[in-house]
Amino acid sequence: MQKEGEEISCPKTREIFISYYNLHLDGLKTNLPLLLTYNPDAIHDVRVATRRMRAVLNECKKWLPSDIKYTLTTQLRTITRSLSKRRELDVIQQVFEHLLINNKETFYENFILDFSNYINKLRENEVKNCSIAYNTSLEILNYPPLEEHLKFPSDFCIYPYAKKRVLSSITKIKRGTKSIQNVKSPMNETVHIFRILIKKIRYMWEIYHYIFQSPLQNFSEHLKTTQTLLGDYNDFRILSLLLKDFNKQTNQAYSQNISKIRDDLKEKMLKKINEAENAIENVINTKNIKNIKQEIKEICNTHICIS
């Protein structure tokens, strides 16, 4: 018999939410020492871990005390944002070096040196923000376990809730694809916004992968491809913006080189957007969406919730 105030919900509920959150909490802990060395891979992994943890908090926000949810979400967002610029510049440095492989003979040597120094100076300016991310991560690691605060209703089952969340996200993706169709200006902010939407939805899907693996597997792979292509697009976009700023700071001393690179980047951006559009069209069609929805509904209908 259930005691008054006792939580008896579907066993998979806590297992899925808590295990996913703790998995990435461990990842944060593992990478923390390397954060002090400004290791590019550690910076990337810490940002991904905090995003995934925030995804869990977003899915569980109804069942967390508001002060706990606010504190954890704010701290995790602080970590992600504090490392954002440094991560961005680490990637841009690699992208620029890659462009030089095929174009070095057409660029002035002084331009290559000065722009590289410009990027490195911006990277050095992010040391303080990396320290903020490190200290905030320590606060997260010393915070009481999430399971101490997460309380579900006695009749709560994760299956119908997950179904509602996943089906809703598929609708958002379908609507969002319009932002990468027939793009004329590669600097269009809506393309970047759609990339962020895909990223957030993929993190959310990872939480429910345990119960919806079969229907979401193919869809998720195509989303990953689309996200990667739009990630490449965004790298080119940021590099183009940095070159524009560098051109102003150097009083257009290298305007000829910069103009050539930015024209080349524009073509690359449009190509990546077109490839991303083709990738997502492979799954965003009426037949596929109907099949995915049907599979998810069948999984939910056959699940026996022992609460």
Side-chain angles (χ1 to χ4, degrees), residues 51-229:
R51 281 202 185 105
R52 284 172 167 152
M53 291 163 70
R54 280 167 57 195
V56 174
L57 296 178
N58 187 58
E59 294 306 296
C60 299
K61 58 187 177 184
K62 293 181 180 179
W63 306 287
L64 277 172
S66 57
D67 58 328
I68 302 297
K69 176 178 66 69
Y70 176 80
T71 299
L72 288 174
T73 301
T74 301
Q75 289 178 323
L76 289 169
R77 186 181 291 114
T78 296
I79 297 168
T80 308
R81 291 180 176 176
S82 297
L83 296 174
S84 175
K85 193 66 177 180
R86 177 68 185 221
R87 172 59 185 169
E88 182 178 280
L89 292 166
D90 286 343
V91 172
I92 294 306
Q93 187 177 52
Q94 295 174 356
V95 172
F96 182 65
E97 290 173 356
H98 182 72
L99 287 177
L100 290 179
I101 294 175
N102 298 321
N103 298 285
K104 191 172 184 178
E105 68 282 356
T106 66
F107 297 156
Y108 295 127
E109 186 174 338
N110 285 345
F111 162 71
I112 297 173
L113 179 62
D114 286 351
F115 187 68
S116 297
N117 288 336
Y118 163 79
I119 294 295
N120 281 326
K121 180 67 180 298
L122 292 176
R123 291 174 69 242
E124 291 170 4
N125 290 341
E126 293 303 309
V127 167
K128 181 179 179 181
N129 283 329
C130 289
S131 296
I132 292 173
Y134 177 84
N135 292 329
T136 308
S137 296
L138 288 178
E139 293 179 24
I140 289 285
L141 293 174
N142 290 323
Y143 209 78
L146 185 66
E147 49 263 44
E148 291 185 10
H149 307 288
L150 198 53
K151 304 296 181 183
F152 297 98
S154 60
D155 59 348
F156 181 79
C157 176
I158 196 170
Y159 278 76
Y161 178 74
K163 180 182 75 171
K164 181 180 179 181
R165 296 288 294 148
V166 170
L167 295 185
S168 174
S169 67
I170 292 175
T171 301
K172 290 180 181 179
I173 293 170
K174 187 176 180 180
R175 291 174 181 168
T177 54
K178 296 178 181 179
S179 63
I180 61 172
Q181 294 172 350
N182 303 315
V183 175
K184 305 299 182 184
S185 172
M187 304 305 283
N188 191 330
E189 189 69 18
T190 58
V191 177
H192 175 58
I193 292 173
F194 180 59
R195 169 179 164 265
I196 298 301
L197 173 66
I198 290 178
K199 186 180 293 188
K200 288 182 177 180
I201 287 175
R202 285 192 61 234
Y203 289 147
M204 185 258 280
W205 283 8
E206 286 180 7
I207 299 172
Y208 303 121
H209 183 78
Y210 178 80
I211 57 179
F212 294 146
Q213 179 177 356
S214 176
L216 291 182
Q217 185 65 44
N218 185 52
F219 204 155
S220 185
E221 286 301 317
H222 280 88
L223 270 191
K224 182 179 180 180
T225 300
T226 303
Q227 180 184 324
T228 299
L229 290 167

Side-chain angles (χ1 to χ4, degrees), residues 252-305:
Q252 300 185 355
Y254 303 110
S255 58
Q256 185 175 354
N257 276 170
I258 290 174
S259 178
K260 181 183 183 303
I261 299 174
R262 294 192 75 205
D263 286 344
D264 182 49
L265 289 173
K266 180 178 179 179
E267 293 182 11
K268 291 179 182 296
M269 282 187 275
L270 289 172
K271 182 180 179 181
K272 291 296 181 181
I273 293 172
N274 185 60
E275 290 175 354
E277 182 183 354
N278 292 334
I280 203 163
E281 281 182 352
N282 289 328
V283 288
I284 294 291
N285 58 66
T286 303
K287 182 179 179 181
N288 279 346
I289 292 178
K290 183 178 179 180
N291 290 338
I292 291 170
K293 289 182 177 180
Q294 185 60 37
E295 279 192 68
I296 289 176
K297 289 177 181 178
E298 289 177 359
I299 290 172
C300 290
N301 290 338
T302 56
H303 167 67
I304 300 176
C305 181

